[in-house]
Amino acid sequence: MVDVVVIGAGVVGCAVARWAALFGREVVVLERGSGGVDGQSARNSGVMHAGHYYDEQTRPLKARLCARGNGLLREFCLAHGVTHARCGKLMVAVDAADEAALEMYLARARTNGVTAHLVGGEEAREMEPGVVARRALWLPDSGVVEPTSLARALEADAVAAGALVVRGAEVAGARAARGGFVLEARRAGGEVESLAAGWVVNCAGLWADDVARLIDPACRERIDPMRGEAAWFRRGARPGLDVARMNVYPTPRRVRLPGGEYWTVGVHLTPTLLPAGPEGGAARLSDVVSVGPLNFAARGKGDLAGEHRPMEEFRAQVAGYFPQLRAADLRPYQVGVQARLAGRQDWHVAADPNHRRWINLLGIDSPGLTSCLALAEHVGGMLAA
């Protein structure tokens, strides 16, 4: 019997596996995909969030773990040569309602222990010459990380600590057994193998609700998938486009999906990174700037194909704070699907109600990448209980 089986080899799954292996647990990671890094771990902007969005009343896990995760992630990237940059973030206000929102998020930042400063419109323009704002919230600890490099580094560290990662192994069945569980893993060729586990940590991302129902068919939690599209433009391609030396965000916006209405961070500008030098670690910004995500209900968990929304829709979303951008400057970039949890704003990290050794991580949407190491620490405490 394996001590701990982690289902899912994304950044969160590998972070959990790494934590458990570093503390002497025997760990096997089962990943349904047979290729490299995919899913939410690859198809996202790579922003390292500071932790100012979330309040203890409605999103307590995000409030506690994002700021903690930001610091742990920077330390990990520096120690393991992961391409990243601590470039900061400006959250901009373009009208009176936005200004009131900045005050609220400043208060949340202080409550969560996040460094944040209100700056005037002129100071914001000095920081980002192309940005138009009445005021802005400056978050120096925000940044950007190359997500696939992070995922590979977490997996490599987990393996170095003794974890075994098995790809092309979709968990298709589960039952409780003496001392733990028996999992049925379907391999890429169709054959099914059994694996006994003392503990199971379900980090299956978009499919985590399906996995949760393998052990508890009555589980009512449901992933409400949200498609996010991004475009890009080239900084300096013409006058007026010298922008996004840092993350530039509007105040949060709402999006309606079949399972409910959710807060999102809005369509923002994010710098992309050039590969780090041989020494690794901190990286230089490229001249490619991401614009997104434009969010709407996904047609399913695998909704990655099809045409992008018109570039004019991306331009219109940022026109209030970046009016120089034209639709003709933009090109389609990437598409991702986020694992929103129906009817919830926060993550669900809890043991199955009937099996305390089966831990579900459901709805791990943003800021899951930023918080992956803090989530692993949190789950590690549950494993040790």
Side-chain angles (χ1 to χ4, degrees):
M1 176 181 288
V2 175
D3 187 9
V4 180
V5 170
V6 177
I7 302 174
V11 291
V12 174
C14 286
V16 170
R18 170 184 176 269
W19 189 99
L22 285 171
F23 279 84
R25 311 294 286 266
E26 181 190 15
V27 181
V28 172
V29 181
L30 300 179
E31 165 57 41
R32 61 181 285 153
S34 57
V37 181
D38 202 358
Q40 293 183 107
S41 293
R43 294 171 175 270
N44 66 80
S45 62
V47 171
M48 298 165 67
H49 293 284
H52 69 294
Y53 288 112
Y54 318 106
D55 63 282
E56 278 285 345
Q57 288 69 45
T58 66
R59 289 174 284 184
L61 278 176
K62 293 181 180 182
R64 292 198 299 271
L65 299 181
C66 185
R68 170 72 176 159
N70 178 286
L72 291 174
L73 183 56
R74 288 205 313 271
E75 291 174 6
F76 181 86
C77 289
L78 288 169
H80 294 80
V82 177
T83 303
H84 74 289
R86 183 173 173 263
C87 57
K89 176 191 292 185
L90 279 177
M91 178 191 282
V92 298
V94 299
D95 57 29
D98 285 347
E99 288 192 84
L102 293 189
E103 296 283 357
M104 178 186 71
Y105 287 111
L106 176 62
R108 285 188 186 176
R110 289 170 174 165
T111 298
N112 294 348
V114 174
T115 301
H117 310 283
L118 276 175
V119 299
E122 286 302 314
E123 188 174 352
R125 191 172 182 83
E126 289 174 6
M127 299 170 77
E128 277 288 5
V131 168
V132 175
R134 292 166 60 145
R135 297 174 82 190
L137 191 64
W138 165 237
L139 299 133
D141 289 332
S142 180
V144 62
V145 62
E146 205 291 297
T148 56
S149 297
L150 173 62
R152 293 190 188 104
L154 287 167
E155 180 177 336
D157 217 33
V159 170
L164 173 66
V165 179
V166 182
R167 297 188 178 277
E170 179 182 1
V171 178
R175 60 181 172 83
R178 183 182 299 274
F181 309 92
V182 175
L183 304 177
E184 304 294 331
R186 183 182 296 114
R187 302 306 302 271
E191 64 274 18
V192 177
E193 300 177 1
S194 296
L195 179 65
W199 291 79
V200 172
V201 184
N202 172 14
C203 300
L206 284 160
W207 288 269
D209 58 338
D210 299 324
V211 171
R213 278 186 281 276
L214 294 177
I215 197 65
D216 179 15
C219 176
R220 299 178 66 181
E221 304 290 354
R222 181 175 60 82
I223 297 299
D224 196 10
M226 182 174 71
R227 177 172 165 121
E229 298 182 4
W232 68 272
F233 68 90
R234 196 171 298 280
R235 183 192 299 111
R238 63 173 179 79
L241 295 187
D242 186 20
V243 72
R245 306 286 177 178
M246 60 189 67
N247 297 303
V248 183
Y249 277 61
T251 56
R253 303 291 190 263
R254 290 181 183 270
V255 62
R256 180 167 290 281
L257 303 180
E261 191 173 70
Y262 310 88
W263 284 105
T264 73
V265 293
V267 176
H268 51 270
L269 310 181
T270 302
T272 60
L273 301 172
L274 294 169
E279 72 282 356
R284 293 178 296 125
L285 303 183
S286 80
D287 60 358
V288 171
V289 178
S290 169
V291 182
L294 195 59
N295 290 320
F296 48 94
R299 291 169 293 187
K301 295 178 179 181
D303 184 17
L304 300 174
E307 291 187 7
H308 264 59
R309 293 292 180 95
M311 295 299 101
E312 172 58 26
E313 292 190 28
F314 293 88
R315 185 211 64 80
Q317 289 290 320
V318 303
Y321 66 88
F322 185 36
Q324 299 93 326
L325 189 66
R326 304 169 187 163
D329 297 321
L330 292 163
R331 299 291 182 272
Y333 186 29
Q334 65 178 1
V335 176
V337 178
Q338 197 175 96
R340 292 274 168 159
L341 195 57
R344 291 179 179 262
Q345 298 292 338
D346 204 9
W347 300 321
H348 175 90
V349 180
D352 178 87
N354 301 309
H355 306 93
R356 76 172 188 87
R357 289 180 168 231
W358 181 292
I359 301 171
N360 289 313
L361 282 73
L362 304 176
I364 308 299
D365 55 3
S366 179
L369 182 144
T370 302
S371 309
C372 63
L373 292 164
L375 275 163
E377 191 176 64
H378 180 72
V379 172
M382 300 171 71
L383 290 171

